[in-house]
Amino acid sequence: MEVLRNKKTLQDFIERQREMGKKIGFAPTMGALHNGHLSLYEAARAENDLVISSIFVNPTQFNNAEDLKKYPRDTNRDIKILETSGLVDAVYIPEVQDIYPEKAESQPYDFDGLENEMEGKSRPGHFDGVGTVVEELFRQVKPDNAYFGEKDFQQLAIIKKMTEKKHLHINIHGVDIYRAENGLALSSRNQRLSENRREDSKVIYETLVKVNDWFRTVSIPEIKERVQDIFDDQAGMQMEYFMIADEKTLKETDFFYKDKSYRAFIVVMVDGVRLIDNMHLD
Ligand code: PAF
């Protein structure tokens, strides 16, 4: 596996691969790799000649300096995981100036309102930061296909929108949420939870499964009350929000319409760690 540590090395590598007519699959990450990331590489492996990943903890998408500071970083461990997986041909690990040559700041984006829902309300500026870094990485890596986890479903929608509006001609693929055996959605943030708290946090997934069972037989306001009751009973957990939203517009709904598809979204703070999850409702 090639380890590309700056923009110039990446560009030389990409040029060689393009000359050979290779189809490139790309999965950007912020490191602290886990099996969820490996599932992105597996999806990329199945559809491309070459799989590239990147590791870059993007400062502009953190609206909380403490969160950025605490974000787990261990590049040597990540490189070992990538090498052992055998799924990735090259990893790009840029320095801040490779992505932000002048100042580490976001570009303003118009994602047609997707940015104003859910995470956009709780994390102002977050999606401009994501759009900025992903657009820059796309321009440098020039992939044919790019892969993102559905755990960050709103991020996935926003990246699809940005790619379309900027005419980048990259196919964006969503990959199913990878869950631990107890159902907890895998996230780099889970490393900050004790084993016991990771076990307790399975209640998030179990609640989403219940919501899916209630869907279309119980009213949405009633579902919301039931979900709130579940988390009121969990010591040390605070539910930040729960909502059912239209999968396309991400707008919250209080009624079901037959011809639309819906997804439940939830954010819970567990011992100061912000866990997010979602589930498509059948
Ligand atoms: O999902 C992530 O890990 C990040 O938001 C991404 C897409 C790599 C951009 O920094």
Side-chain angles (χ1 to χ4, degrees):
M1 184 184 72
E2 302 259 356
V3 180
L4 311 163
R5 290 191 185 267
N6 58 56
K7 187 172 165 184
K8 173 83 182 72
T9 337
L10 171 82
Q11 280 170 339
D12 293 346
F13 178 80
I14 298 291
E15 218 168 282
R16 287 200 303 277
Q17 304 304 324
R18 286 266 166 228
E19 274 165 16
M20 289 188 274
K22 296 268 176 83
K23 194 204 266 186
I24 300 177
F26 178 46
T29 81
M30 297 206 298
L33 300 179
H34 51 67
N35 286 342
H37 296 108
L38 298 190
S39 71
L40 303 183
Y41 306 140
E42 265 163 19
R45 191 78 270 166
E47 297 171 330
N48 299 278
D49 304 314
L50 196 85
V51 177
I52 302 183
S53 186
S54 61
I55 298 175
F56 180 66
V57 181
N58 173 36
T60 64
Q61 71 187 75
F62 287 82
N63 47 332
N64 175 335
E66 197 53 25
D67 208 19
L68 171 62
K69 208 166 101 192
K70 281 194 191 150
Y71 203 84
R73 294 166 173 87
D74 189 345
T75 311
N76 291 336
R77 173 188 168 274
D78 287 342
I79 292 175
K80 271 194 203 122
I81 290 177
L82 290 172
E83 264 165 357
T84 314
S85 79
L87 293 166
V88 171
D89 300 288
V91 59
Y92 179 38
I93 311 179
E95 295 292 337
V96 173
Q97 57 274 20
D98 292 311
I99 303 294
Y100 300 102
E102 275 154 31
K103 198 165 174 223
E105 57 185 17
S106 313
Q107 301 299 314
Y109 284 87
D110 172 5
F111 300 110
D112 291 346
L114 291 174
E115 70 277 29
N116 300 326
E117 309 301 328
M118 301 184 289
E119 292 297 281
K121 290 192 180 116
S122 326
R123 306 179 69 188
H126 168 69
F127 288 120
D128 279 344
V130 171
T132 305
V133 74
V134 173
E135 183 179 355
E136 182 57 27
L137 286 167
F138 280 177
R139 293 194 186 281
Q140 294 188 18
V141 176
K142 302 181 182 70
D144 299 281
N145 294 297
Y147 299 81
F148 297 86
E150 285 194 343
K151 184 175 76 62
D152 298 300
F153 192 83
Q154 189 175 10
Q155 167 174 281
L156 171 64
I158 271 171
I159 291 168
K160 281 184 182 161
K161 182 67 75 182
M162 182 272 287
T163 309
E164 178 195 308
K165 285 190 135 187
K166 298 274 178 176
H167 309 290
L168 295 179
H169 306 294
I170 299 167
N171 303 310
I172 309 298
H173 304 262
V175 177
D176 286 349
I177 297 176
Y178 192 97
R179 298 185 180 280
E181 239 168 74
N182 69 2
L184 179 66
L186 255 57
S187 161
S188 307
R189 289 168 198 262
N190 298 357
Q191 290 183 17
R192 285 163 54 196
L193 293 174
S194 69
E195 211 173 297
N196 283 345
R197 293 310 260 162
R198 281 204 289 267
E199 187 51 24
D200 298 342
S201 303
K202 70 180 179 199
V203 65
I204 300 171
Y205 171 70
E206 288 170 351
T207 303
L208 290 175
V209 171
K210 282 185 187 152
V211 169
N212 194 34
D213 288 342
W214 296 328
F215 185 60
R216 293 192 201 268
T217 57
V218 179
S219 75
I220 294 184
E222 170 67 22
I223 292 178
K224 287 180 81 167
E225 266 179 44
R226 291 185 188 183
V227 171
Q228 186 64 61
D229 289 346
I230 292 173
F231 285 94
D232 285 348
D233 287 344
Q234 304 297 318
M237 287 191 199
Q238 293 83 39
M239 191 177 80
E240 192 178 304
Y241 67 73
F242 165 79
M243 70 177 72
I244 294 180
D246 180 311
E247 269 189 339
K248 275 214 182 95
T249 62
L250 303 184
K251 285 203 184 306
E252 183 172 15
T253 184
D254 268 342
F255 302 99
F256 306 123
Y257 296 93
K258 258 209 219 131
D259 52 336
K260 293 196 169 162
S261 41
Y262 296 97
R263 196 169 270 262
F265 295 88
I266 190 163
V267 176
V268 181
M269 292 295 286
V270 182
D271 288 350
V273 181
R274 197 166 180 275
L275 301 181
I276 83 171
D277 204 345
N278 67 78
M279 186 177 280
H280 170 76
L281 301 174
D282 298 322

